[in-house]
Amino acid sequence: MKVITSHSYEELSRKAADLIGAQILIKPDCVLGLATGSSPIGTYQCLIEDYKKGRLDFSKVTSINLDEYEGLAPDNDQSYRYFMQHNLFNHVNIRPGSTHVPNGLAGDIQQECARYEEVIAREGGMDLQLLGIGVNGHIGFNEPDSYFPAETHRVELTPSTIQANRRFFEKEEDVPRFALTMGIRAIMQAKRVVVIAYGSAKAPILKEILQGPITPNVPASILQLHPDVTFFTDDESMALLK
Ligand code: F6R
């Protein structure tokens, strides 16, 4: 496990983007597992910058996103599909048909989860998985629980996640209560994992993730078992670690 600590969000974002750029360079047809939320926004901006300078080519890249809220249409500005379009896909030359996000409007959610597992299997899993971490230690929307959920599934969001995501919605009632998320197995089977954890809000959980026991109560703690994981952190998120 590697931990790379930066002094600013900009520096951290550039370093994470450089790693992802290197992945695309060495395997142009790579499969990237992507995340939404505030953590990767700066990284996506750097990747767009690199693409615009002609340094990166997304034309053969496939992306598979971690999760989506249940009940939100792709054009809802709070949906994760919308987030990805606006923060990355619309600005680079990735083929639209090669970007995958769970369908939050699927009539049959179980079937949609099974379909998503098939997409992951068909693409041969992720070469690189990008993650943010929840203040409760979730990865994707795999919330703290008594076991690690293996496959893509429907999840009831915890009060802590609803509270953390409240900032993106007008009212708390608007925050969806359910989501679809990739399971822990596909995340852990990614060949490389890149985690972004910045800011003081992540400091307590980051200490548990890196130094605590591996427990489904802190889902991201399982990353201790991954053979190639890099945490991009900043001084604030590292404040409680020696
Ligand atoms: C997003 C996702 C979540 C976020 C996490 C951190 O696709 O799966 O696990 O990465 O909630 O969110 P931010 O980055 O907003 O602190």
Side-chain angles (χ1 to χ4, degrees):
M1 179 182 299
K2 245 194 232 164
V3 180
I4 296 176
T5 304
S6 299
H7 298 308
S8 71
Y9 179 64
E10 289 68 31
E11 188 188 331
L12 169 161
S13 300
R14 172 39 66 193
K15 287 179 181 160
D18 284 348
L19 197 163
I20 297 169
Q23 171 68 68
I24 298 172
L25 182 87
I26 57 179
K27 190 177 178 199
D29 60 347
C30 63
V31 179
L32 300 180
L34 297 179
T36 61
S38 47
S39 303
I41 290 178
T43 302
Y44 292 153
Q45 283 168 354
C46 292
L47 290 174
I48 293 168
E49 226 174 81
D50 293 346
Y51 165 72
K52 291 198 165 147
K53 286 182 181 156
R55 294 175 186 170
L56 269 186
D57 177 13
F58 288 81
S59 63
K60 296 196 182 85
V61 170
T62 296
S63 70
I64 305 183
N65 261 78
L66 282 166
D67 41 18
E68 178 59 286
Y69 286 121
E70 185 178 313
L72 296 194
D75 60 352
N76 182 310
D77 62 5
Q78 294 307 328
S79 77
Y80 285 172
R81 164 56 76 178
Y82 185 97
F83 176 100
M84 289 310 301
Q85 291 302 137
H86 288 264
N87 285 290
L88 183 64
F89 300 155
N90 290 350
H91 309 286
V92 296
N93 64 337
I94 194 163
R95 292 163 302 181
S98 301
T99 67
H100 303 281
V101 180
N103 176 9
L105 284 186
D108 184 336
I109 294 292
Q110 299 309 340
Q111 207 179 320
E112 173 59 10
C113 292
R115 185 195 69 83
Y116 212 63
E117 280 297 309
E118 280 166 23
V119 169
I120 298 167
R122 190 185 67 221
E123 298 298 343
M126 277 69 75
D127 290 295
L128 183 152
Q129 176 66 55
L130 178 62
L131 297 173
I133 52 170
V135 287
N136 61 5
H138 73 211
I139 43 177
F141 272 137
N142 293 284
E143 300 281 42
D145 208 329
S146 52
Y147 70 109
F148 291 110
E151 298 192 335
T152 304
H153 61 286
R154 178 183 195 238
V155 68
E156 180 167 10
L157 302 180
T158 60
S160 131
T161 297
I162 292 168
Q163 204 43 49
N165 290 357
R166 158 80 183 85
R167 66 191 192 278
F168 300 114
F169 293 82
E170 229 170 81
K171 311 189 280 304
E172 188 172 324
E173 304 87 87
D174 294 343
V175 187
R177 269 32 186 182
F178 291 90
L180 285 76
T181 184
M182 194 185 278
I184 296 287
R185 185 187 290 136
I187 294 172
M188 287 299 286
Q189 285 180 345
K191 295 188 186 78
R192 278 195 185 91
V193 179
V194 172
V195 187
I196 298 180
Y198 79 97
S200 56
K202 301 285 167 71
I205 199 67
L206 188 60
K207 183 174 163 58
E208 284 191 56
I209 291 167
L210 296 177
Q211 293 186 339
I214 295 171
T215 163
N217 249 326
V218 180
S221 63
I222 200 170
L223 293 168
Q224 290 178 33
L225 292 179
H226 197 283
D228 186 347
V229 55
T230 307
F231 280 77
F232 289 94
T233 62
D234 70 352
D235 298 324
E236 290 183 1
S237 63
M238 290 295 279
L240 301 177
L241 283 143
K242 295 269 173 326

